[in-house]
Amino acid sequence: MIGVVLLAHEQPRRTAQLARHLAQEGCRVVIHVDARATEAQMEALTGLVGAEPNVLFAPRLKCEWGTFSLVEASLGCIRLLLERFPDIRHICQLSGACLPIKPIADLHTHLERHANVDFIEAVSVENDAWVVDGLSMERFTLYHPLAFRKHRRLFDRSVALQRALRIKRQMPEGLVPHIGSQWWCLSRRTLDLILQDPRLPEYCAYFRTTWIPDESFFQTLAVRHSDRITSAPLTFVRFDPQGKPYVFYDDHLDLLLHAEGFFARKIWRGAQRLYETFLDPNLAARMPEFADETRLLRRFDRAKRRHQHGRSGLVCHGRHPGRQLRDQRFETARTYTVVDGLDAVFPHLMEALATKPSVVAHGALFAPQRVEFAGDVGVFSGNLTDSAPIRDRKPTQFLSKLIWAERQKLQVFTHRFDGNAVIDLALLSDPNAHVLRLRDMWLLDLFHKWQIDPVMTRAALPEAASAARRVDARFAAPATKAHVMTVGLGDLLNGGLETANRMSKFLPSEIRDQSLFSTIAIPAGFNAFLRDLKVSVDSYGLEYLADAVETHNRINRFLRRKT
C-alpha cells in the first residue's frame, strides 16, 4: 500500500481533488495545511474532501520557506501515516500543486517490484554542483537561524559575518551531506530506521539551523539508513537557471503524457484540462504506447536557453541585454536595410521597394517631426506609434521592436547619419544592419541651403565639410559592425552599370534588383552650385575639402556631357 504526504498552503479545491483521487485509487493520504492558510481555506478543504476514510489531516504548523518547519511538517505526516496504516510499504511526498501523470495502478505495480528501493534524489554536495543558485556547502557549514524570505537583509549579513569570522560548524558524526529534490518516495523500512534512530533529536537540532533542510534532511538520512537508493525520483520536476520550478499549463498535456515518473510538479491552478485528464480514472486509455522523453527534454533545453539568453531581437521588461553582451548578441531580430542619401538621387527607389511582396519600405523612421511608417500609418505593427517623443525616449528599443514586429519580412527605411548620435551608433554597431550610403549627401543638403542663401552657405562650408568628415570617421571606426557600402556621386555618374551592379549585389536577396539604380536624377541648378562651391573651396584653400573639389570636377564633367 502507498502512503502520500501532501503538503499544501493554498488552493483548497485543487488539493482536495488530488487527495480524493489518490484515496479512491487505493492510497492513504495525510494532508498538512500550512498554518498561515486562513480558516476559511481550511474549512473549504475539509468540506471538499468530505468523509473520505483514507484521507487524514495532520496537526498544522506555520511553515516558512527554507526553514526546518517544512521538515517538521513532513515528519508529523509520516508518523501519522505509519501509525494509522500499518500496511503501508512506501510513502511519497507531494505538494498540493502536483498531479499524477501515470495511472496510480502502475505506481502500485512499480513499487511492488521495488519493495526495498528508496526513490530519492540524493547528491553528494562535495562531489556534484546540484545547487543552481544560492548556497551549497555553506548550507551545512554556517548557521542559518533566520528565514531567508522573511529576513533577507539580515540573512545576507549573517552569512557575510560568518564568512568573515571563518565559522565552520561540523555535521553530526556519521552523516555525509547530500542534497536533492524534496519530492521523494521512501520505503517503510528506511522511514522506520530514520524515526527510530536514537540520534534523531541530534540530527533535528543540527538541521534546524541548516538552510533549506527539506532538500537535505531526508536525503542525508536516507543515504545513512537505506540499503538501495535510486536518484531517479518518481516526481517529474524541472528547474530554471535560477532554481525555480517550471510551471505546467494546459498546452503541456501532450508533453506530460510522455514524461518520466509518476507525478509532475508544478501544475498551474487554472490548468483545467490537465486536471480533467490526469485525475480521470480512465487515464490508462490516454497513455501513449511509447513514451518520447527526448522531445520533452528538448523543450526544457530550449526554455533554459531562452531564460538565459532571451530570444534574439526581442526585448521586454524582464530581459534587456546589457552593454557587455552587445558584441555577441544585438537586439534586432533579423537583417534590415538602411538607405542613407541614395533616395535623393534615385527618387523612386523607396516606391519601387514598397512594391516587393516580402519588403516593408518605410520612410525616415527617425525624422524629427514624426515616424514615417510604411503606408504613412499612425500606429504600426507591435502597437508602435508615430510619436517622435515616444520613439526618442528609447530609440534603440523602438528599433528592435519594429524589426521584431515584422520579422517575417525585410524592412527598409531611410536615415541620415548626421543627427541622432544614439541611433547612429546603434545602427552602426548592429551586424544586422545593411547600410547603403551616398557619401556626398552632405553636398546635396548644402545645395538646398545654397538655393535659399548662397552667402551664408559659403560661410558654413568649412563646418559642413568637417561634419561630413566626422561622419566618415564614424563609419570607419572599429566599433562598426554593420555591413556598409558607400558610393559617391562621381561613382554613380561615371561608374554606370558597374556601380549599379555592385549596389544591387550588396542588397539582401529580397531587393536585389539592378533596375532600382537605372535612372539617376540630379537637381536642377546643382551645376551652378558646384561652380560656386569650387570657387569657395579655392578661396579657403582647405585641404580637407579636396574630396568635395574632386566630386565637383567629376559631376561637372558629367553635366557638360549631358548638355
Side-chain angles (χ1 to χ4, degrees):
M1 185 172 294
I2 302 172
V4 177
V5 171
L6 198 55
L7 303 179
H9 65 278
E10 60 178 358
Q11 292 302 308
R13 183 169 68 91
R14 293 306 192 191
T15 302
Q17 281 182 281
L18 175 60
R20 290 174 59 189
H21 174 78
L22 294 171
Q24 290 166 5
E25 293 293 321
C27 298
R28 306 296 186 257
V29 183
V30 169
I31 304 175
H32 177 272
V33 181
D34 193 331
R36 293 179 300 174
T38 65
E39 289 300 324
Q41 289 176 313
M42 186 64 188
E43 290 176 5
L45 177 56
T46 54
L48 290 168
V49 170
E52 179 60 57
N54 291 332
V55 177
L56 305 175
F57 286 90
R60 299 174 64 188
L61 300 175
K62 186 177 181 181
C63 295
E64 292 283 354
W65 182 89
T67 68
F68 193 72
S69 56
L70 290 167
V71 176
E72 287 183 304
S74 298
L75 288 172
C77 292
I78 293 168
R79 289 190 177 100
L80 184 56
L81 276 171
L82 296 180
E83 290 172 3
R84 295 289 297 272
F85 305 107
D87 52 349
I88 284 178
R89 292 293 172 261
H90 277 87
I91 292 181
C92 299
Q93 179 161 277
L94 304 174
S95 82
C98 290
L99 270 182
I101 54 175
K102 302 275 192 311
I104 299 300
D106 291 355
L107 176 61
H108 282 285
T109 302
H110 181 76
L111 293 179
E112 285 174 4
R113 287 205 210 108
H114 303 87
N116 296 317
V117 177
D118 294 294
F119 299 88
I120 182 169
E121 188 177 31
V123 177
S124 174
V125 180
E126 296 178 346
N127 301 325
D128 197 308
W130 184 85
V131 177
V132 174
D133 188 20
L135 305 177
S136 182
M137 193 62 189
E138 287 181 324
R139 296 184 181 207
F140 304 95
T141 59
L142 301 181
Y143 294 90
H144 303 284
L146 300 172
F148 175 76
R149 290 183 175 175
K150 195 172 183 180
H151 306 287
R152 174 66 181 269
R153 291 185 179 180
L154 289 176
F155 182 96
D156 291 340
R157 290 176 183 176
S158 172
V159 170
L161 178 62
Q162 292 180 74
R163 286 172 176 169
L165 296 175
R166 298 184 179 181
I167 291 175
K168 188 174 182 179
R169 66 177 181 146
Q170 298 297 318
M171 289 196 73
E173 186 179 355
L175 293 187
V176 179
H178 282 73
I179 200 168
S181 170
Q182 71 179 112
W183 315 114
W184 40 256
C185 183
L186 296 176
S187 66
R188 183 185 187 108
R189 176 190 174 278
T190 298
L191 289 171
D192 281 336
L193 290 173
I194 291 174
L195 295 178
Q196 296 167 12
D197 192 321
R199 297 178 63 193
L200 182 61
E202 178 189 354
Y203 300 152
C204 290
Y206 171 80
F207 279 97
R208 195 172 295 278
T209 52
T210 298
W211 194 43
I212 319 183
D214 51 301
E215 293 180 348
S216 58
F217 179 85
F218 289 101
Q219 292 75 7
T220 301
L221 295 185
V223 169
R224 177 174 174 79
H225 293 292
S226 177
D227 284 338
R228 185 180 175 189
I229 286 180
T230 175
S231 284
L234 302 184
T235 299
F236 179 79
V237 57
R238 288 294 184 273
F239 299 93
D240 66 21
Q242 291 182 324
K244 298 177 181 177
Y246 285 112
V247 179
F248 297 106
Y249 301 91
D250 277 341
D251 52 354
H252 295 127
L253 173 60
D254 185 57
L255 294 176
L256 290 178
L257 286 170
H258 289 82
E260 59 188 8
F262 291 87
F263 302 96
R265 187 183 186 275
K266 183 176 186 179
I267 310 298
W268 179 50
R269 67 188 66 175
Q272 183 63 26
R273 188 181 178 196
L274 294 185
Y275 278 92
E276 290 177 353
T277 300
F278 291 116
L279 297 185
D280 185 347
N282 298 316
L283 174 61
R286 296 289 305 271
M287 300 304 298
E289 185 176 356
F290 300 103
D292 182 9
E293 296 177 3
T294 58
R295 185 159 60 100
L296 181 61
L297 296 177
R298 286 197 302 269
R299 180 72 66 89
F300 278 103
D301 288 340
R302 184 174 66 178
K304 184 177 180 180
R305 289 195 301 271
R306 285 189 174 179
H307 185 103
Q308 292 177 313
H309 303 296
R311 280 181 282 183
S312 180
L314 179 62
V315 179
C316 62
H317 71 283
R319 172 165 297 281
H320 191 283
R323 293 180 180 177
Q324 71 274 14
L325 298 179
R326 292 286 176 87
D327 291 339
Q328 292 81 30
R329 182 177 64 259
F330 195 71
E331 298 171 8
T332 50
R334 59 155 297 167
T335 58
Y336 56 94
T337 299
V338 184
V339 177
D340 178 12
L342 285 169
D343 54 307
V345 292
F346 296 103
H348 302 294
L349 174 61
M350 300 307 291
E351 293 179 15
L353 291 176
T355 62
K356 298 184 178 297
S358 59
V359 175
V360 178
H362 303 285
L365 290 178
F366 295 93
Q369 296 79 17
R370 61 183 290 266
V371 183
E372 298 177 5
F373 289 124
D376 201 33
V377 297
V379 179
F380 191 67
S381 301
N383 202 30
L384 292 168
T385 174
D386 65 352
S387 167
I390 293 177
R391 173 201 65 197
D392 294 339
R393 183 172 177 82
K394 294 286 185 180
T396 56
Q397 285 89 327
F398 166 83
L399 173 66
S400 65
K401 188 171 183 180
L402 175 76
I403 302 301
W404 176 268
E406 289 286 346
R407 60 191 179 280
Q408 304 303 325
K409 296 184 178 181
L410 174 72
Q411 297 193 63
V412 185
F413 59 91
T414 61
H415 180 70
R416 302 289 183 264
F417 285 86
D418 59 0
N420 191 328
V422 174
I423 198 61
D424 286 359
L425 178 62
L427 292 171
L428 292 178
S429 61
D430 185 2
N432 281 330
H434 288 67
V435 181
L436 189 56
R437 176 181 177 239
L438 178 63
R439 181 177 56 245
D440 302 314
M441 185 61 210
W442 72 280
L443 289 173
L444 292 171
D445 291 336
L446 208 61
F447 164 67
H448 295 304
K449 296 178 181 178
W450 178 83
Q451 288 181 306
I452 299 172
D453 190 340
V455 176
M456 291 296 295
T457 303
R458 294 188 199 103
L461 178 59
E463 182 180 351
S466 180
R469 283 297 179 87
R470 288 195 296 271
V471 173
D472 287 343
R474 193 181 303 166
F475 273 86
T480 297
K481 300 293 189 300
H483 303 270
V484 180
M485 180 178 181
T486 300
V487 296
L489 278 172
D491 300 325
L492 294 174
L493 297 173
N494 298 312
L497 291 176
E498 181 183 350
T499 302
N501 186 45
R502 285 196 300 115
M503 291 191 295
S504 176
K505 288 182 177 179
F506 172 79
L507 296 174
S509 57
E510 295 92 333
I511 54 176
R512 195 167 292 164
D513 185 353
Q514 189 172 325
S515 65
L516 294 171
F517 310 104
S518 58
T519 305
I520 187 171
I522 300 297
F526 196 60
N527 190 23
F529 162 69
L530 292 175
R531 190 181 305 112
D532 188 55
L533 173 65
K534 185 177 186 305
V535 172
S536 300
V537 170
D538 291 341
S539 65
Y540 281 113
L542 299 176
E543 293 182 2
Y544 61 76
L545 294 176
D547 287 348
V549 174
E550 177 58 27
T551 300
H552 159 262
N553 292 334
R554 289 185 179 185
I555 296 176
N556 214 16
R557 287 195 296 270
F558 174 81
L559 293 177
R560 283 200 299 270
R561 289 200 306 270
K562 296 287 286 186
T563 56

